[in-house]
Every structure is written in structure tokens, then in C-alpha cells.
Amino acid sequence: MASAIENVEKETEKVLHKFKSLKDHGDKNLSELIQQIESYQRDLSILTSPDCPLTDIQCQLLLDNTRNTISQFSTEHRDIHSSVSRIGKAIDKNFISDYVCVGNESLFDQGKNNEILNKVIVEHFLRQGRSDIAEKLIQESKLDIDTNDKIPYIKMNKILDALRNRNLQPALEWAQTHRDQLVKSNSDFEFKLHRLQFIELLRGGIENQWKLITYSRSHFTPFAQRYQAEIKALMGSLMYLRSGIEKSPYQYLLDPNNWVEICHMFTKEACSLLEVSVDSPLSVTFNAGCIALPALINIKQAIQQRNVNDVWSSRDELPIEIDVTRKCHYHSIFACPILRQQSCDSNPPMRLQCGHVISRDALNKLSNGSKLKCPYCPAEQNPADARLIYF
Ligand SMILES: [Zn+2]
């Protein structure tokens, strides 16, 4: 993939280089031409008799020169066309446009899967704050989504919009409402909001001195112990109110990144309270797919060339292991120690009474009527007492 991008980039750079040299060359020729015309104009204005044969010759020369320059310019410009079309060819050559070979077309034939897919897309847009698109999709695909499921996302995006407009009030109200949960998770969010509010007041300069002192007194007290060093720094900045914070050692407080950070922080906290992951399932799946595609295309080609198509017959399983990076790992996987197979929906992990875990197929194989001897400890028990484990 990376080399494909590099190959296309190389062609693009060639074109950009050609455009630049054409422009430089053209600019130079055109300004020379303009100079010649201007000097001819000057000559004409001082001549007493404009019918002088000399001016005719000069005019003809000038016309020829102009024609030559323009035709040269258009030839050079035409040459670039072939380089531009080479970029298109490089894209066709280096990127795969047809992913049908690794797709599972029949997967979305069934109504249920289609509905799940639409729901995942709707949820993604609700998270992104694009409830207009989500509503349209709900309407068109006749989805039944509870309004209560939408409200938290709508609220979340309203607060985020306000933060992006440097309005901390809705976020502060949210943090106060959820203070208990935030404290429980050891979150810095509420303090960071007050800190940012204080910094915004700092920007107002000496006029805000009194406001800053009142704000600190009424809002920093509950945080005094935990954020002692940070509060000290904020107080220290007050000394530079008159001479300007931007010229003081505290200028770092004015970093605009504070606002980017607070938006990230809010999204993280809000998603954790909603018990959803920060990235939507759609974007996680899409990213994992992008990582997996090159390997899958390679293996598919190898399978087709060797005529071993039935290797990839199982619907829920890939023929090779693909490392989708740690970012895409959400839960543990279980491999049955008896059958040496990864568990799946049809063969899930089962916890025996003694605490050992084996897959359901292994459990059925080892059971003898209502008796089962654990292959590990080896406690005797009733296989019906084993419990399904969910990861
Ligand atoms: Zn056991």
C-alpha cells in the first residue's frame, strides 16, 4: 500500500515540477515580450512621423516574436497533458479498484444483517453529530430506533459544538451532573474545565483581576488538595496580568491546543459514561478492514491460482490470521485447550463447576451421560452445571 502511494506520488511530483518550470519559463518569456512592446510604444511616441519604414519592420518583428512565444508556450503546455494522464495510469496500476473477490455478497441478502448494518451506520452518524443524515437513513431504511437511544448522542454533540465555540458552560453543567461518576473514575475533566475558564478570564487582562480571584475562590477549593501544583501555577500567572501573560513564563497557558484537548477529553468521558467505545463500531470495522484487505487479496489470489477454493469456505472464519493492531482489540479470545480450536458462536467456552474452562464441543465429547470428569483437576461433576462464558 505504502509503495503504491509512493509510486503515484512520484508521478505527481514530476507533473508539479513540469508545471513549475513551465510557469517560470513562461513568466520570463512573457515579461521579456512585454518589455519589448513597451519600448516599441515608447519609440513610437517620440517619433514625429509614424510612417517611418523602420517602425514597420520593428512592428513585424515584434508580431513574429509574440506569435512564436505564444506557440512555444502552448506546445510546452500540451506536453504536460501526457504527464498528467500518466498519474491516472499510475493510480490504475498501483491500486486495486475491484474488491469483489474478497467480499461476501450474500452476507447482506438477509433482512436481519442489513438491518444491523443500517443501525451501525446510524449510530456512527449520531456520534459524529450528523443527526440529519442519521434521521434520513432511519426513515429510508424503516429502522425502529428508540428516541432514548439517540438523546445521549445529541446531548454529547451539543456540548462538543459549544466547546468548539469556546463555550464551557454546557460542559461544566454536564460535569457537575455527573460529578460522582467522574470522581469514581478518577477523572480530571471537571478541574480541567475550571482551569480553562480561568485561562479565558486571564486573556481579558488586568480588568478581570477581581473576577479571577472570585472565580478561584469559588471553584478551586474542592480541587485544592489534588491539583495543588497546577492551582499554584494559575495563581502565579496573576502577577503578569498587567504586563501581559503572552510575554510571561506562563504563556504556555494560552496554548490553543487546550481546546482541542478538552474536546477529546469530553468525548472520552462521555463515551465511557454511555458505556460505548470512543470510536464507533463502523469506523473500527472499516479501519480493521483496510488493514486486512491487502493480505486477504493476496491469499485469495493464491487460493485461486492453486485451485484450492474450498480452503476459504467457512463464512465466519478467515483462512489466515491477520494482525489488526492492538487498537482494534476489544475482548479476549478463547482457544479450547482440549480441541485446540478458537471458540465461536456455535462452540462457545464453558466454565466447569471446578472453574476450568473448555469449549462446548469438548464438554459434549468428554461427558458420559450426567457425569463429567474435568480433564484438568479432575473433579467429577454434572455437565449440565457448566455455564456459558461471554467475553
Ligand atoms: Zn477442573
Side-chain angles (χ1 to χ4, degrees), residues 210-329:
W210 190 242
K211 271 191 198 162
L212 280 158
I213 294 169
T214 339
Y215 193 88
S216 325
R217 276 199 192 132
S218 50
H219 294 102
F220 287 152
T221 325
F223 303 102
Q225 223 168 0
R226 190 167 160 201
Y227 301 97
Q228 210 175 23
E230 287 207 53
I231 294 173
K232 264 189 196 164
L234 292 175
M235 295 299 120
S237 69
L238 291 177
M239 292 195 299
Y240 294 88
L241 266 185
R242 202 176 289 277
S243 57
I245 305 292
E246 58 283 354
K247 287 171 275 169
S248 77
Y250 294 95
Q251 53 154 331
Y252 69 92
L253 292 174
L254 305 176
D255 188 348
N257 267 335
N258 282 331
W259 286 96
V260 181
E261 240 170 67
I262 205 83
C263 289
H264 282 313
M265 207 170 176
F266 171 70
T267 314
K268 206 177 127 242
E269 299 292 357
C271 285
S272 121
L273 290 192
L274 287 170
E275 297 186 331
V276 293
S277 58
V278 176
D279 298 315
S280 78
L282 182 67
S283 58
V284 173
T285 317
F286 180 81
N287 290 336
C290 289
I291 297 170
L293 262 182
L296 289 182
I297 289 168
N298 282 345
I299 189 89
K300 188 81 188 186
Q301 278 162 357
I303 288 173
Q304 275 163 352
Q305 275 161 14
R306 282 169 212 171
N307 265 335
V308 279
N309 277 320
D310 51 337
V311 174
W312 197 347
S313 56
S314 171
R315 278 184 156 217
D316 297 327
E317 230 175 84
L318 296 176
I320 41 164
E321 195 170 318
I322 289 166
D323 181 14
V324 286
T325 71
R326 237 8 270 140
K327 244 184 112 187
C328 297
H329 286 191

Side-chain angles (χ1 to χ4, degrees), residues 352 354-356 374 376-379 381:
L352 305 180
C354 53
H356 288 115
C374 170
Y376 288 97
C377 51
Q381 52 203 292

Side-chain angles (χ1 to χ4, degrees), residues 96-271:
I96 301 156
S97 58
D98 182 14
Y99 289 102
V100 174
C101 70
V102 285
N104 188 346
E105 284 168 65
S106 56
L107 193 64
F108 296 107
D109 285 352
Q110 302 148 299
K112 190 78 197 149
N113 284 350
N114 228 331
E115 192 187 316
I116 294 172
L117 178 66
N118 284 333
K119 273 190 179 168
V120 168
I121 298 173
V122 165
E123 198 203 310
H124 177 80
F125 282 117
L126 284 175
R127 273 180 199 227
Q128 302 282 313
R130 299 304 308 266
S131 48
D132 48 340
I133 303 176
E135 287 301 336
K136 193 81 192 158
L137 183 58
I138 293 173
Q139 205 187 340
E140 284 179 2
S141 54
K142 297 184 184 71
L143 279 180
D144 181 22
I145 290 187
D146 195 343
T147 320
N148 287 334
D149 291 341
K150 288 184 237 165
I151 290 170
Y153 293 121
I154 295 171
K155 271 191 193 163
M156 187 173 124
N157 281 300
K158 268 198 182 147
I159 297 173
L160 262 179
D161 277 343
L163 282 178
R164 285 187 197 116
N165 291 320
R166 303 208 164 185
N167 172 10
L168 289 160
Q169 212 45 46
L172 275 165
E173 281 163 24
W174 181 88
Q176 273 148 20
T177 319
H178 297 94
R179 184 176 287 158
D180 290 347
Q181 288 148 292
L182 290 172
V183 168
K184 224 188 240 172
S185 63
N186 220 5
S187 160
D188 293 331
F189 187 56
E190 199 184 347
F191 173 71
K192 293 272 180 200
L193 288 172
H194 285 303
R195 178 180 175 270
L196 211 49
Q197 187 73 74
F198 182 94
I199 294 172
E200 283 313 287
L201 286 171
L202 271 184
R203 285 179 203 276
I206 192 74
E207 272 175 39
N208 278 347
Q209 190 174 33
W210 190 242
K211 271 191 198 162
L212 280 158
I213 294 169
T214 339
Y215 193 88
S216 325
R217 276 199 192 132
S218 50
H219 294 102
F220 287 152
T221 325
F223 303 102
Q225 223 168 0
R226 190 167 160 201
Y227 301 97
Q228 210 175 23
E230 287 207 53
I231 294 173
K232 264 189 196 164
L234 292 175
M235 295 299 120
S237 69
L238 291 177
M239 292 195 299
Y240 294 88
L241 266 185
R242 202 176 289 277
S243 57
I245 305 292
E246 58 283 354
K247 287 171 275 169
S248 77
Y250 294 95
Q251 53 154 331
Y252 69 92
L253 292 174
L254 305 176
D255 188 348
N257 267 335
N258 282 331
W259 286 96
V260 181
E261 240 170 67
I262 205 83
C263 289
H264 282 313
M265 207 170 176
F266 171 70
T267 314
K268 206 177 127 242
E269 299 292 357
C271 285

Side-chain angles (χ1 to χ4, degrees), residues 29-44 54-71:
N29 285 349
L30 284 176
S31 65
E32 273 173 19
L33 198 61
I34 290 167
Q35 268 173 18
Q36 283 172 17
I37 295 172
E38 277 170 355
S39 91
Y40 177 64
Q41 263 178 336
R42 269 197 303 275
D43 290 352
L44 272 185
L54 186 68
T55 55
D56 266 355
I57 298 163
Q58 252 185 327
C59 183
Q60 196 53 49
L61 269 173
L62 207 53
L63 274 176
D64 290 346
N65 210 352
T66 313
R67 261 188 219 116
N68 282 343
T69 312
I70 289 170
S71 100

